[in-house]
Amino acid sequence: MLLTSITFLPLLGAVISGFLHTLIGEKVSMVVTSTLVCISCIFSWVIFFSLSDGEVGKVILSDWISSGNLRVSWALRFDSLTTVMLTVITSVSSLVHIYSFGYMNHDENFTEGESYKPRFFAYLSLFTFMMLMLVTADNFLQMFFGWEGVGLASYLLIGFYYKKPSANSAALKAFVVNRVGDFGFMLGIFGIFYLFGTLTFDNIFSNVATIAQNNNNLLEIFAIFLFVGAMGKSAQLFLHTWLPDAMEGPTPVSALIHAATMVTAGVFLVCRISPILEHTEIASLVITVVGTATAFFAASVALVQQDIKRIIAYSTCSQLGFMFAAAGVGFYQAAMFHLFTHAFFKALLFLSAGSVIHGLHHEQNIFKMGGLRKQMPYTFFAMLVGTLAITGVGFPLLYDYIHIQVGFAGFSSKDAIIEGIYASNSPISNHIFWTLIIAATLTSFYSWRLIFVAFFGKFAGGDKKLAEAHESPLSMIVPLGILAIGSIFAGAVFYDQFVGNNAKSFFENSIFMSGNNNILKDFHYVPWWVKMSPLGAMLIGLILSAVFYLGKSKILENLYKQHYGLYSFLYKKWYFDELYQYIFVIPMKKLGMLFWEYFDGGVINKFLNLVSLSFIPRISKDAGAAQTGFVTHYAFVMIIGFVAVTVLLLSFMVV
C-alpha cells in the first residue's frame, strides 16, 4: 500500500493541477500538487529506513501482457536499489515544488494574468511519476514505459517557455537525441527476450550464468545495447549534446532533471543489470571507458563556460561519468553512493544558481556578476556548501582511525570511486585512475571559478543592477537550507550503508557481484597517497582558480592570447554540435530536399496529374455513356449481375 501510494500520488497531483485548476483555483492546485509529492517523499524515507537488509518484494497491480511466450505483469518492485532512488527522486522533487512557489511567482515569459503555474506544477509531478514508474519496474517492458514517459515529460519541461524558439529547439533536441539512446535500449530489450524468453528481472538474473556460458557473445552485444540507452538518458559522450541546451527550461526544471531524476536513470539501469555485467567483460569495459571519457570531456568544457547554469550542467555530465566509471569496474555500490550524494549538492547548486538569476532579474553570465556575497548572503552560503561538496573537501585518512567520514557529501562518494578504480581488476585501471584525478582537478578549478567570479570582487553589471540585486524569498531559501544539510552530512551518515561495513548486506539481492569481484573490500586498503590524491586534486584546482580569478595578475589574459585555439575548442564543446551538423543534419536535409524535389514533385505529382487530368476524365466520359436514363436498362444489368453471383456461389458449393 505504501509503495503504491508513493508511486501514484504524484500522478494524482498532475491530474488535479493539469485538468482541475480552473475549478479549484491556481493556488489550491499548486498546494495540492506539492503536498502530494511531499507525502510521497515522507513515505519513501519511511520505506528506506524500515527496509530490512537484502529484502526484495513486489506489489502486483495487474496482469499486463499475455501473448505467446511473453508474460508481463504490472508490478512494483522494491529492494535497496529502488528505495535509494525513491528517496532521491521524491526528496528533490518535493523541494523543487516548494522552491517553484517563489521562482515561478512572476515569470517574465508570460503576460500578466496568463495562467502557467498549474501547467508547470502538473509537468513537474508527471515527471516525478514517470521516474517512479521507471525505478519501481519489475521488468524491462515496464521500465521502458517509465523510460519513455520521462522523455515525454522532460520535453514538456524543457520547452515550457514555448514562446521562445530556443526553448522549443532545446526540447526537440533533447527528445531526438534521447530517441537514439532509446532505440539502443529497445534493441537490448529485444535481445534479452530472445536469449531468456522473459523480461522479468528475477527470471533473467537467475539464468544469466547459464546463458553466459552458451551465448556469451550475444549477451555482450545486448548488454552494450542496454548501455546505449543509459548513455542517452545520462548524457554520456556522443549522446550528451542535449544536456547543456536543456538549460532553456526554468531553473527548477534544471535541478529536477540534472540532480536526481532523468540523468541518473542510466546509472540506475546499469546497476540494476549488474548480474548481466558481471558476466560481460567487454560491455563493462565499454561502460568504464565511456564514463571516464565523459568525466574528462565535460570537466574540460566547463572550464570556459560563462553561463552559470551551463557550468553546473557540464559538471553534472562529468559527475555522471564518475558514476559510470565506477559501475564499469564493478563498484556499483560506489556509483549508487555518488548518485545519492550528488542529488543533494547538485540540486543545491542549481537552485542556488536559480536564486542568483532570480535576484539579478534573469542575468546568467557570471562575468556580469561579482561581489554578490554581500547582497545575497544565504545564496552565497548555499552555493559555497555545494561547491565544497562537489570538489570533495574532507579528511581522507581519518576514517581508518575513527571509522567516521569527516567531510562533505561529495568527498565520501567521489573518493570511494577513485579509490575503487585504483583497486579494481580492470586492465586499464591505472589509466582510468589518473584520468579521473585530472577530471577532479578540473572540477575543482571551474567550481571555485564560479564562486570567485560571481560572489567576490567588484560587481560587473553596473551600479543600477547591483542596487536591484536582492535575496530570494523564504520559499526558495528553505529548500536551499535543507539541501545544504544533505550536502554536508549525507556522505558521513550513509557511508557505511553504501560502501562501508553494511554495504554488502544492504545491497544483497539487488546488486550482484561475482566471486572474483572483491572491490567492495579492496578499496579500503589502497596506498595512502591514493586516498590523498582527490584532496590534492581539489587543492590544486582551488589554488589555480584563486590565482587566476582573485589576484590581479595577467596570467589568465596571457594564456588566453597564447592558447586562443584551445580556448575556442573548449568553448565550442569540442565541436560536437558542428560535427553532428555536418555528418547527420545537413546530409539528411539534402536527402529530404532531394526526395521532395525529384520524387515527390517530379514523380508523384506528375503521376497524379497524369491520372487526374488524363485517365480519370476519359474513364468518367466512358462511364457516363453507360448512363442512358432508362430504368429497364438498369434492371437488366442488375439481373445479369445477380445471375453471375449466383452461378459463382453454386460453382463453389459443388467443388
Side-chain angles (χ1 to χ4, degrees):
M1 182 64 184
L2 208 59
L3 185 62
T4 307
S5 300
I6 293 170
T7 307
F8 288 98
L9 281 176
L11 177 62
L12 178 61
V15 171
I16 292 174
S17 186
F19 297 104
L20 302 178
H21 65 274
T22 54
L23 298 175
I24 63 177
E26 188 175 85
K27 285 286 186 183
V28 175
S29 64
M30 293 161 59
V31 171
V32 169
T33 305
S34 303
T35 302
L36 291 174
V37 174
C38 289
I39 294 172
S40 182
C41 174
I42 295 170
F43 288 170
S44 297
W45 282 100
V46 169
I47 287 183
F48 181 81
F49 286 114
S50 62
L51 188 74
S52 303
D53 288 346
E55 183 181 355
V56 177
K58 65 176 67 177
V59 179
I60 299 177
L61 300 178
S62 67
D63 293 329
W64 188 17
I65 296 175
S66 180
S67 177
N69 295 327
L70 182 61
R71 299 285 190 275
V72 179
S73 297
W74 197 272
L76 305 179
R77 179 187 180 93
F78 64 94
D79 55 19
S80 52
L81 271 181
T82 303
T83 54
V84 170
M85 294 301 296
L86 290 178
T87 55
V88 167
I89 294 166
T90 56
S91 297
V92 174
S93 181
S94 59
L95 292 173
V96 166
H97 275 75
I98 296 170
Y99 180 92
S100 298
F101 273 84
Y103 189 87
M104 301 297 290
N105 191 34
H106 300 289
D107 200 305
E108 297 176 357
N109 293 278
F110 298 95
T111 58
E112 188 69 28
E114 188 174 1
S115 181
Y116 61 90
K117 297 174 190 174
R119 179 167 62 91
F120 181 73
F121 277 75
Y123 289 172
L124 289 179
S125 291
L126 178 64
F127 187 95
T128 305
F129 165 72
M130 289 300 178
M131 272 302 303
L132 293 173
M133 289 305 306
L134 192 158
V135 301
T136 57
D138 185 54
N139 55 77
F140 276 112
L141 192 61
Q142 188 179 332
M143 179 181 281
F144 188 74
F145 169 82
W147 199 270
E148 292 301 295
V150 167
L152 170 64
S154 66
Y155 172 82
L156 297 173
L157 286 168
I158 296 170
F160 184 75
Y161 296 139
Y162 59 89
K163 298 178 183 179
K164 295 170 60 180
S166 58
N168 293 325
S169 297
L172 186 61
K173 186 177 182 179
F175 193 82
V176 171
V177 174
N178 272 280
R179 296 297 73 72
V180 176
D182 295 350
F183 180 66
F185 190 30
M186 287 175 61
L187 293 177
I189 293 174
F190 297 156
I192 292 296
F193 182 73
Y194 171 76
L195 287 178
F196 294 89
T198 181
L199 294 176
T200 304
F201 293 142
D202 289 337
N203 297 336
I204 293 170
F205 298 156
S206 61
N207 293 301
V208 170
T210 305
I211 297 295
Q213 288 180 349
N214 301 324
N215 294 284
N216 188 255
N217 291 335
L218 284 177
L219 191 63
E220 290 274 12
I221 294 171
F222 298 143
I224 292 174
F225 279 141
L226 292 175
F227 173 61
V228 171
M231 287 175 63
K233 277 290 184 284
S234 296
Q236 294 300 281
L237 197 62
F238 304 115
L239 296 179
H240 68 279
T241 54
W242 68 270
L243 192 68
D245 292 344
M247 298 300 99
E248 290 291 340
T251 300
V253 172
S254 303
L256 192 63
I257 291 178
H258 294 73
T261 50
M262 182 173 174
V263 294
T264 60
V267 180
F268 170 77
L269 170 62
V270 169
C271 292
R272 174 63 80 198
I273 63 171
S274 59
I276 297 176
L277 295 179
E278 287 294 289
H279 293 89
T280 51
E281 294 182 4
I282 298 174
S284 297
L285 186 62
V286 170
I287 295 172
T288 304
V289 171
V290 172
T292 305
T294 305
F296 176 77
F297 156 77
S300 69
V301 173
L303 292 174
V304 298
Q305 297 301 308
Q306 299 178 3
D307 187 298
I308 188 171
K309 288 174 66 175
R310 284 183 177 264
I311 296 171
I312 303 172
Y314 277 110
S315 79
T316 298
C317 193
S318 182
Q319 296 303 306
L320 288 165
F322 277 84
M323 299 176 204
F324 277 109
V329 299
F331 204 2
Y332 312 101
Q333 296 88 346
M336 291 301 300
F337 189 27
H338 199 48
L339 184 155
F340 183 79
T341 60
H342 176 265
F344 289 102
F345 63 73
K346 186 52 56 74
L348 178 62
L349 288 171
F350 265 116
L351 295 185
S352 297
S355 181
V356 171
I357 296 168
H358 182 271
L360 294 179
H361 302 284
H362 299 280
E363 179 59 66
Q364 295 185 201
N365 191 328
I366 61 171
F367 290 100
K368 294 182 179 180
M369 304 175 187
L372 293 179
R373 69 185 189 279
K374 296 178 181 178
Q375 275 72 28
M376 309 178 73
Y378 298 114
T379 301
F380 168 65
F381 173 77
M383 185 69 80
L384 181 62
V385 170
T387 301
L388 291 169
I390 193 174
T391 56
V393 175
F395 300 93
L397 300 177
L398 283 181
Y399 184 82
D400 296 336
Y401 299 99
I402 64 176
H403 302 293
I404 297 174
Q405 281 285 46
V406 181
F408 290 80
F411 156 75
S412 301
S413 56
K414 190 164 68 175
D415 281 27
I417 288 175
I418 292 174
E419 292 164 16
I421 295 286
Y422 183 87
S424 70
N425 296 323
S426 174
I428 56 172
S429 59
N430 193 52
H431 301 286
I432 301 299
F433 170 78
W434 286 111
T435 305
L436 291 182
I437 289 295
I438 295 171
T441 306
L442 299 179
T443 300
S444 177
F445 181 88
Y446 68 69
S447 297
W448 288 111
R449 166 181 177 261
L450 193 159
I451 290 288
F452 295 149
V453 173
F455 292 94
F456 289 82
K458 187 179 179 181
F459 187 78
D463 294 336
K464 183 180 178 181
K465 216 164 187 177
L466 178 62
E468 294 175 352
H470 58 86
E471 189 61 271
S472 298
L474 196 62
S475 62
M476 296 172 64
I477 295 298
V478 170
L480 296 184
I482 296 172
L483 289 169
I485 294 172
S487 301
I488 297 172
F489 298 108
V493 172
F494 297 101
Y495 182 85
D496 283 338
Q497 199 161 2
F498 279 90
V499 294
N501 298 327
N502 302 326
K504 188 175 181 180
S505 58
F506 178 68
F507 285 107
E508 189 179 1
N509 298 324
S510 63
I511 289 178
F512 174 78
M513 302 180 74
S514 61
N516 59 353
N517 186 349
N518 299 310
I519 194 170
L520 190 59
K521 177 183 177 183
D522 293 344
F523 93 97
H524 291 288
Y525 303 102
V526 297
W528 68 269
W529 65 268
V530 175
K531 296 183 178 182
M532 292 295 296
S533 55
L535 179 62
M538 186 278 297
L539 291 173
I540 292 172
L542 169 62
I543 294 169
L544 289 175
S545 187
V547 170
F548 289 162
Y549 295 100
L550 285 182
K552 296 182 179 181
S553 86
K554 295 186 177 181
I555 299 176
L556 190 63
E557 185 179 343
N558 294 332
L559 284 173
Y560 173 79
K561 291 179 181 178
Q562 295 172 9
H563 303 283
Y564 180 75
L566 177 61
Y567 173 85
S568 298
F569 178 73
L570 297 177
Y571 189 76
K572 291 290 186 178
K573 300 159 285 188
W574 291 26
Y575 292 102
F576 268 103
D577 283 309
E578 289 79 2
L579 184 65
Y580 288 171
Q581 188 78 10
Y582 283 109
I583 294 178
F584 300 112
V585 178
I586 293 176
M588 287 298 105
K589 281 186 176 180
K590 288 183 177 179
L591 184 63
M593 291 297 294
L594 184 70
F595 273 100
W596 172 75
E597 186 174 352
Y598 292 101
F599 186 73
D600 188 58
V603 178
I604 295 178
N605 284 354
K606 287 183 179 179
F607 175 76
L608 291 176
N609 289 337
L610 179 66
V611 172
S612 60
L613 298 178
S614 180
F615 291 109
I616 292 178
R618 186 177 300 174
I619 294 171
S620 300
K621 185 178 180 180
D622 294 340
Q627 305 300 314
T628 63
F630 294 102
V631 177
T632 53
H633 293 172
Y634 300 151
F636 180 70
V637 172
M638 292 174 64
I639 291 170
I640 292 175
F642 176 76
V643 171
V645 171
T646 304
V647 171
L648 186 63
L649 290 174
L650 288 173
S651 65
F652 277 112
M653 292 175 64
V654 172
V655 173

